[in-house]
Amino acid sequence: MAPGVGKTFRMLQEGRAEAENGRDVAIGYLEPHGREETVAQAEGLEIIPRRRVVYRGTPLEEMDLPAVLERKPELCLIDELAHTNAPGVEHEKRYEDVRDVIEAGVDVFSTVNVQHLESLNDQITQLTGARVRETIPDEVLSAADEVVLIDLTPEALIARLRAGKVYRPERVPAALNNFFKIENLSALRETA
């Protein structure tokens, strides 16, 4: 339903379980947002190095799609499905990268928030007052073999936020005064 509920953590847990059961698992892209518990879940899993891209003089790191396709694990963990890539890589959006990976015969576990679904964009804007610019077409989610909903009460998510488990401490007050209001989180949870 929102950042910080545990999507990436759960994706890594599922990936580790698959690896322990003998599958060839690699991380194609991981965005732990500095969360120590999330980083710990990635330990022992191969991480395919990111590709450096310079955009308007700023160095950025993106998923290295050619390296993922060359490595071709049985299962690839690719975080942040709705991400917009830096100009100069193969695709504008990460979900397009994921399509290429799947078409190459690799299973993918990924993460996305409900507010990133294109068909819900207007509804989410009305509910939260914030327009989400990074969206995925609904058919991307519809094409999934399985969708796992990570559910957390708004109160528990706010407690995680205050404990520094979602954002760095300096970002918490702004988050609480904007997106992470109880009424926004309740509406997002109901929508999810």
Side-chain angles (χ1 to χ4, degrees), residues 144-155:
D145 292 332
E146 181 180 9
V147 175
V148 177
L149 175 66
I150 309 302
D151 188 32
L152 193 63
T153 66
E155 295 81 6

Side-chain angles (χ1 to χ4, degrees), residues 53-137:
V53 178
V54 177
Y55 177 65
R56 294 184 179 174
T58 302
L60 303 170
E61 292 185 341
E62 295 289 354
M63 182 176 89
D64 191 340
L65 178 59
V68 169
L69 294 174
E70 183 178 319
R71 168 62 179 79
K72 199 174 181 181
E74 287 178 66
L75 171 64
C76 193
L77 311 180
I78 302 174
D79 212 1
E80 305 219 349
L81 187 61
H83 173 75
T84 301
N85 292 325
V89 299
E90 291 76 15
H91 300 290
E92 178 185 357
K93 302 291 278 186
R94 182 156 300 138
Y95 72 82
E96 295 169 311
D97 295 336
V98 167
R99 278 187 185 149
D100 284 0
V101 174
I102 292 169
E103 287 172 6
V106 176
D107 291 337
V108 173
F109 289 177
S110 191
T111 62
V112 68
N113 292 329
V114 68
Q115 70 262 27
H116 294 293
L117 286 175
E118 207 168 69
S119 68
L120 297 177
N121 199 277
D122 290 340
Q123 179 183 348
I124 298 297
T125 301
Q126 288 177 342
L127 291 171
T128 66
R131 176 155 299 275
V132 176
R133 291 188 300 270
E134 292 188 316
T135 61
I136 62 169

